[in-house]
Each structure stands twice: as C-alpha cells, then as structure tokens.
Amino acid sequence: MVEGDGDGELEARLVEQAEFEPSAEFVEQANVSDPNIYDEFEENWPECWEQAAAMLDWDTPYDEVLDDSNPPFYKWFTGGKLNASYNCLDRHVENGDKNRVAIKWEGEHGTTRTYTYQDLYREVNEFAASLRDLGVEEDDVVTLYMPMIPELPIAMLACARIGAPHSVVFAGFSAEALATRMNSADSRFLVTCDGYYRRGDPLDHLDKANEGLDGVDHGVDAAVVVDRLGDDGFGHELRGTQHDWDSLLAEHGGERVDPVQRDAEDMLFLMYTSGTTGQPKGVKHTTGGYLSYAAWTSHSVLDIKKEDTYWCAADIGWITGHSYIVYGPLALGTTTVMYEGTPDYPNRARLWKLVEKYSVDIFYTAPTAIRAFMKWGGQFPEKHDLSSLRLLGTVGEPINPRAWKWYYKHIGDEECPVVDTWWQTETGGMMITTLPGIGKMKPGSAGPPLPGVDAKVVDTSGKEVDAGRAGYLTVGKPWPGMLRTLYKNDERFIQEYWREYSDIDSDDPEDWVYFPEDGAKIDADGYITILGRVDDVINVSGHRLGTMEIESAIVGVEGVAEAAVVGGDHEVKGEAVYAYVITEEGQAEDDKMRERIIKGVEDAIGPIARPEQVLFTPELPKTRSGKIMRRLLEEIANGEELGDTTTLRNPEIVEEIQRQAEAE
Ligand code: WTA
C-alpha cells in the first residue's frame, strides 16, 4: 500500500474527513437525485427494472420483466426484440443527433479522429456488410483481437447489427491466450490489426495474431486486418483468408444492413475471464438485459447526459470498456473518448492534457492508475485546467481512502463526487456504489447496493453478518445485467457462482444466491467495503488473473517440477504475482531460469501476468492432506508475520523460503 502521500499532498483536514457530500450544484443537475428510488425499487421489484428497459427502443415489446421459473437460468424482458447497434446508432441518427460526436479518439502520437453518430453509423453498416460477405451468419462468434482503435467499437457494433456475438480478446494477451479463447468459443472469424503504438514505438500485433490463428483447432474462415501502422508496419503479407479492413469498407461503401431483430435473451457477446481453474470462463451476456443495465447504470451512476464528453480510461478488452466505453455511453447518445496509449506518454500529464483539450465532464478509471498518479505527484494535473470535470469514478479493485482523497482533491478539486463502483465481468454493470446525486461518500467503501440490487454480506452459513464484521458478499435476487451462463457450460456456471450459498436442487428462486467470490464488510449505514477476492484470483492493476493459469504456464517451462503463485501487495498494481517454483533435479536455479519462467508466463498469458518475483524452493508449504498453504506464501510475499504453521506437514520449509525472500 502507498505509505507516503507524495510531499504532503493531502492536508490533515482531508486525511481525517471520513464522509463527503455531493455539492448542491451537482445534486441539482443529477440524473437521479430522489432518495425514494431505493424504496421504490424495493417495493416494485422486479417491475422496477422496466425503467432500465425503457432507456432502449424495442422492435417488439417484451411480455414479462423476469422469468424466474428455472433458476439460476433467469430470463429478462422475455418476448422482447431489439438490436443493440440500432439502439447505439440508428435511433440517434433518426432523432436529430446525427451530427453529435459519438467517438473522440486520440492516438498515442496525438493524431485524432472524430466520429459523429452519422459517421459511426456509416462505418458500422459498411463493416456489417463486409462481415456478411465474409460468411458471418447470425449467432457465429466473431473474435476481436484489437487494441484501443476506433475499429474495435465499430466491429463490435457491426457484429451486434447482424446478430453475431463478439468475443473481444484483450490485445495485451498472448497468441496462446487468443487461440484458447477462439477454440473455446468455436470462433471461425477474427478481426485484428497490424499493430499499435506503445510509449512511442510501433508494436507488432499481427505476428501474435497469426501465431494465435495457427493454434485454432477448427481452422478459421476469415480474418480482417486493420492497417493501423501504415509505413511503420512490419511488412507481413496478408494470408489467403485475411482481408484488409479498408479494402472491405471501400468495396461495401455506402451499403446499409438492416439491424437484425434479436430476442432479448439472445447473446450479445462473450467475454472470457479468469477463474479458479486453468481454463478461462466464457461469460455470456444477452442483448436486452445487458444493454438495459449498461444504459441505466450509465445514466444513474455515471450521470451521463448526451451533451457530455465522457471518458472511461479503461481498455475495451475488459468488461469495463464494453459496458462503459461502448454500450452504455453510446446507448445514451453521448460523446465517448478513446485514448490509444499509456498515461505517461510522452509525459505524465498526458491524461490531464486530454481532459483539458476535450473538456471532459466525467472521468472513470481504476485505483491502480490513481495510485500511479498520486506517486507521480500533483504537479502534473496542476498544469492543466480540469474545471470541466463534474464527476469522477473508479472501478476494478478496492481503493484505499488516501488514494480516493487524492483523486477527489487533485483531479476533482473537491467539487466532483467520486463513485467507487463495485461490479464484475459477470454482473455486466455496476452493482454496489453510491448514486452521486444522492448518497454521501465514504472513501474506501463502495457504498450501498444500487436500487433493486440485493447484495448482502454473510457468514459461511449464509447468515447476514453484523455491522463492522467481515464476511462474504452475495447477491440474492437476479438483475438484468447478470451473466446468463458460461458458454456451453451450464454445469460450471452453477458450480462457480451458485453452489456455495444456494440449494441447487430447488426451483424456488428464493433458494438461489449468487456468490461473486469477494470478501466484504458492511457498516451500520449499509455501506459495503470490498475486501478482495476470496478465490484463487489475483487482481493485478485491476486485471483478473487466475493463479492456476499462471501456475500451469510455469509448470510448462522445461526444468520446472511444481509451482505455486500468490498475490502479494504492490504499491501501484494493488497486487502483484509472486511465484514459488520447485525445479527438477539438476536444473540450475539462476537468473536464466527465472527469465525462462517469466517468458513462459508472458507467452501463455501476456505481460500483465509477469511475475514480480520468482523464488526457488525445494518444497512448498503443504498441509497434511497435501494442500498448498497459499496463505503462508502470501504472508511471505508481503513480508508479514506468519500465521499458524502447526498444521503443516513441512513447517521447516517456511523459514527457508522466508530467508530466500529476504535475500532477494
Ligand atoms: C474487484 C471489473 C473493490 C472485485 C469491473 C471483483 C472491486 C473483481 C471493485 C471483478 C471496487 C471491481 N472495489 N473491488 N470498486 N470493482 N473489483 O471481472 O474483486 O475484471 O470481483 O470486473 O474486481 O473484476 P472484473
């Protein structure tokens, strides 16, 4: 955790203040400011969610808000038909907003592109026509392996237009990770690009994409490649099944594709996320429920108005970018900002320069970024006029009060409410946070559950814990944005999310409780503080990584016999990966071996999973039943006092690992 606050950047007044109120000025203009909304939603549940559905245009009205006859396979807005691309584009174009800016994009080198809703509508149509031409049919999964370039949201909306679910794979993931996801989703189509810029240099992306394509077992029908780098490109010839994005658009110039009417419960997209096993989980989101929920939360929590310039500085390769760069903001018809590069290029004031340049009204980022800004110091935001900002948000991991306050003061000038939004890939949208026009804020605590969201903190038996006590977060009632299942794996869906607190033989929805696998505590006001994951998932810079995935990558390295990976505290990343490795007989335990292990992880997953430290050990601390005691390894990684070691089969090993860790 961050100890200092970088040259006294928070005065005692702020350090001590535990609660903050939104300004009268903010409340006055807020989309939601009537505290009765909590009671109204509770009394009128599940019909309250019609408010979310009403934010969309439906081709066919739905018959029923919620069908809960077969839990946990809930259905929302059944019988309704709609198209997500229509809701994000056509209706704005038709309603007099065609010249409003939809996407403001800035490349790392400062090149900019501006898409009005009309521009976006045209390109999405042209690309939808291109996809059809390449043989993409309704319900085919199209994989999008792309960085932060406008062609990514364009491809997403084009897929949505023709009813082909997309599966976006984060561009920082490795070739192997791409292949795993394409294989798992039976995806025969890929959209990718030649490369992109990182800290000033072009990066070869197509090389990775090609290697990934080689690993797709069922073969690939077609791939589309965006030319992002131009003359800076790496000169790869396109393969037989590969098509150039610009040529396709030119060929289909001016074409229109009617938006396909999708059933509310039809899949809009798949998003793979890490879980407790080595295999990533394909989270399935639907058209009606997800889009309603993304739009409603964008409206009520992010307070987005169409006149706003809104910036979520996440990557579209994660769920945050799906819900709050693309679908939510575009459904509301606002201007969404996209930035290609890193926050410290060409200098540490880059983001603030952008806020000033585009007069950004709402800014949404992750605690890891805020901790980095805080470490860099207040002189960078100070150089720029940030007075356009009205609201700030954070997501992805717990934020410590000091970082929250730094953000509030140095970015928001003590004028902007901060929403600390807890949610997950699986929840589709925000679940626990204050409503900025209503609730007081308590730094470090996400806030109460949103209206209509039945989140509780319980003990292992499922009983609610008393205020102040730690327990486990659960969600009792379903919500429209929830995942519907894990792709082609209903059984794993039940095992992973429901088994813990549900009576899985019951068909009474009251007996079904969703378990997000987070620890939490609740205070007397009902504010929930998230304590972090309670499963084997590490949260590195707000990115979810499964320890099993990393361990299996390490065990795949020649000379490795066994490995255990844990998350240890990290000043900026929140958590970092610590690897404990047992080598095979005769294998040298040197820096070369460490490098091979690190490379093994980067190849299997990507640089984000790179271990911070690799420690060699002759054994791992194990219980008598042979289970690795991860808790002890975490304590070692954090340099903490060790807890109970008496249940260990090999207690002496702990001291030895500790000695090595200290020597590093
Ligand atoms: C964590 C990201 C504390 C949590 C949208 C959750 C948070 C996991 C917060 C989901 C927050 C997310 N405070 N922890 N405001 N937001 N988390 O699927 O552990 O990438 O389970 O979704 O991030 O990560 P995911």
Side-chain angles (χ1 to χ4, degrees):
M1 282 292 109
V2 179
E3 286 300 333
D5 55 1
D7 55 56
E9 289 194 331
L10 288 176
E11 52 261 49
R13 170 182 62 88
L14 269 183
V15 171
E16 274 161 27
Q17 193 173 338
E19 295 186 0
F20 295 77
E21 294 284 346
S23 67
E25 205 184 337
F26 184 90
V27 173
E28 174 83 10
Q29 61 79 58
N31 287 343
V32 177
S33 57
D34 180 357
N36 289 324
I37 186 171
Y38 289 97
D39 290 342
E40 276 167 27
F41 268 57
E42 194 169 331
E43 283 155 23
N44 191 26
W45 195 94
E47 279 72 29
C48 55
W49 288 116
E50 296 207 62
Q51 272 197 33
M55 310 206 77
L56 306 180
D57 283 6
W58 296 76
D59 298 325
T60 307
Y62 51 87
D63 310 312
E64 205 182 1
V65 174
L66 169 66
D67 170 357
D68 59 3
S69 58
N70 182 27
F73 301 98
Y74 296 101
K75 294 180 181 160
W76 286 88
F77 311 123
T78 51
K81 288 193 188 301
L82 76 169
N83 183 282
S85 149
Y86 177 87
N87 273 283
C88 291
L89 300 170
D90 308 41
R91 62 174 179 156
H92 307 312
V93 170
E94 289 163 9
N95 294 343
D97 281 319
K98 67 180 178 161
N99 293 326
R100 188 179 293 285
V101 174
I103 297 179
K104 275 245 177 247
W105 176 84
E106 175 140 334
E108 208 187 53
H109 287 307
T111 27
T112 59
R113 280 199 248 161
T114 301
Y115 291 82
T116 61
Y117 275 93
Q118 175 69 36
D119 297 334
L120 202 59
Y121 170 81
R122 194 187 60 240
E123 284 210 17
V124 166
N125 271 281
E126 290 169 356
F127 194 59
S130 308
L131 287 175
R132 278 240 173 106
D133 196 20
L134 296 175
V136 179
E137 289 176 11
E138 197 172 343
D139 293 321
D140 284 342
V141 176
V142 179
T143 303
L144 310 178
Y145 185 44
M146 298 162 88
M148 288 291 284
I149 53 177
E151 287 83 356
L152 174 52
I154 290 170
M156 290 163 80
L157 293 170
C159 287
R161 197 164 189 86
I162 60 173
H166 50 73
S167 164
V168 178
V169 177
F170 174 57
F173 274 144
S174 66
E176 210 177 307
L178 170 65
T180 307
R181 285 157 179 73
M182 289 189 74
N183 284 324
S184 163
D186 308 314
S187 175
R188 312 184 70 88
F189 299 93
L190 177 75
V191 185
T192 186
C193 67
D194 59 346
Y196 53 105
Y197 294 93
R198 263 303 170 276
R199 296 206 164 82
D201 294 322
L203 255 173
D204 190 344
H205 190 62
L206 189 52
D207 191 45
K208 264 199 319 184
N210 280 337
E211 199 189 318
L213 286 172
D214 291 339
V216 179
D217 304 331
H218 50 257
V220 171
D221 291 355
V224 180
V225 183
V226 176
D227 176 3
R228 160 73 185 114
L229 296 176
D231 292 344
D232 284 343
F234 294 83
H236 299 290
E237 294 283 326
L238 292 191
R239 298 173 173 186
T241 48
Q242 294 182 338
H243 304 260
D244 168 55
W245 172 287
D246 290 330
S247 316
L248 282 175
L249 286 205
E251 208 178 299
H252 296 277
E255 284 180 31
R256 294 284 174 266
V257 174
D258 283 341
V260 170
Q261 287 198 7
R262 296 285 276 172
D263 194 275
E265 282 295 311
D266 280 342
M267 173 158 56
L268 178 60
F269 66 85
L270 265 181
M271 169 109 249
Y272 280 89
T273 188
S274 292
T276 25
T277 73
Q279 277 299 314
K281 307 184 277 199
V283 169
K284 175 182 162 181
H285 282 294
T286 56
T287 312
Y290 169 84
L291 194 63
S292 304
Y293 202 69
W296 188 80
T297 46
S298 296
H299 169 83
S300 53
V301 180
L302 293 171
D303 200 47
I304 291 176
K305 300 165 175 62
K306 62 182 182 183
E307 300 75 21
D308 284 330
T309 299
Y310 157 82
W311 185 13
C312 167
D315 192 293
I316 296 176
W318 308 102
I319 191 72
T320 303
H322 279 54
S323 303
Y324 300 114
I325 298 178
V326 182
Y327 286 112
L330 294 179
L332 297 184
T334 196
T335 300
T336 179
V337 175
M338 274 180 79
Y339 169 54
E340 177 186 41
T342 53
D344 54 354
Y345 185 84
N347 60 53
R348 292 171 167 180
R350 183 64 185 270
L351 300 192
W352 318 126
K353 190 175 167 191
L354 287 174
V355 168
E356 177 173 351
K357 179 173 170 191
Y358 295 123
S359 286
V360 171
D361 298 275
I362 303 161
F363 182 70
Y364 189 33
T365 189
T368 182
I370 298 167
R371 288 191 296 266
F373 304 150
M374 177 159 114
K375 206 172 164 210
W376 298 341
Q379 67 273 26
F380 298 103
E382 254 152 50
K383 281 190 204 141
H384 294 279
D385 178 2
L386 307 183
S387 61
S388 58
L389 289 170
R390 180 174 89 240
L391 176 69
L392 301 174
T394 99
V395 57
E397 42 171 333
I399 181 164
N400 47 314
R402 194 174 273 279
W404 191 104
K405 290 173 184 178
W406 189 93
Y407 191 37
Y408 181 72
K409 176 175 163 65
H410 288 273
I411 308 304
D413 196 24
E414 303 186 37
E415 296 281 346
C416 307
V418 176
V419 284
D420 173 359
T421 60
W422 178 88
W423 59 291
Q424 308 182 293
T425 304
E426 291 86 346
T427 69
M430 299 158 175
M431 299 286 281
I432 301 176
T433 173
T434 50
L435 284 167
I438 298 179
K440 62 182 174 199
M441 300 158 266
K442 301 186 188 186
S445 170
L450 281 177
V453 171
D454 184 29
K456 294 193 171 82
V457 182
V458 303
D459 62 17
T460 43
S461 69
K463 203 169 127 280
E464 280 189 71
V465 298
D466 294 334
R469 301 295 291 269
Y472 301 94
L473 189 64
T474 56
V475 187
K477 291 185 185 132
W479 63 99
M482 69 196 301
L483 80 165
R484 296 304 193 263
T485 190
L486 292 176
Y487 190 60
K488 295 199 174 159
N489 205 340
D490 290 347
E491 187 48 37
R492 189 173 174 199
F493 171 61
I494 292 175
Q495 295 297 333
E496 295 260 357
Y497 303 106
W498 304 92
R499 207 196 152 81
E500 201 76 26
Y501 288 104
S502 309
D503 171 3
I504 62 170
D505 296 321
S506 167
D507 53 16
D508 180 353
E510 299 272 319
D511 293 331
W512 287 83
V513 174
Y514 174 81
F515 182 42
E517 305 205 76
D518 271 342
K521 58 182 189 185
I522 187 160
D523 72 9
D525 291 336
Y527 276 51
I528 295 176
T529 296
I530 307 295
L531 301 171
R533 304 283 310 186
V534 294
D535 58 356
D536 294 330
V537 167
I538 311 181
N539 192 330
V540 179
S541 302
H543 301 151
R544 253 167 89 169
L545 301 168
T547 49
M548 283 283 286
E549 279 170 83
I550 306 176
E551 284 166 6
S552 69
I554 297 179
V555 174
V557 174
E558 215 185 297
V560 173
E562 202 182 339
V565 158
V566 297
D569 294 345
H570 189 278
E571 193 186 355
V572 173
K573 298 176 184 173
E575 279 189 293
V577 175
Y578 287 80
Y580 299 87
V581 177
I582 304 176
T583 55
E584 285 172 350
E585 273 305 308
Q587 171 63 52
E589 296 181 341
D590 52 12
D591 283 344
K592 256 210 177 119
M593 182 63 182
R594 280 200 179 85
E595 276 163 33
R596 285 207 290 123
I597 289 170
I598 289 172
K599 184 166 183 306
V601 174
E602 290 192 345
D603 287 349
I605 303 165
I608 45 164
R610 192 189 156 89
E612 191 75 12
Q613 199 179 53
V614 177
L615 277 185
F616 295 112
T617 167
E619 275 177 61
L620 292 166
K622 286 190 181 161
T623 60
R624 277 173 238 267
S625 60
K627 265 185 86 173
I628 299 172
M629 280 267 262
R630 286 171 189 284
R631 174 178 58 77
L632 284 173
L633 295 173
E634 276 165 23
E635 286 162 354
I636 296 172
N638 293 335
E640 285 165 6
E641 189 117 340
L642 298 188
D644 185 18
T645 57
T646 52
T647 54
L648 285 184
R649 188 168 67 188
N650 52 353
E652 63 301 334
I653 199 65
V654 175
E655 272 173 46
E656 186 164 339
I657 303 177
Q658 219 171 6
R659 260 196 310 278
Q660 281 199 41
E662 279 160 13
E664 273 291 307

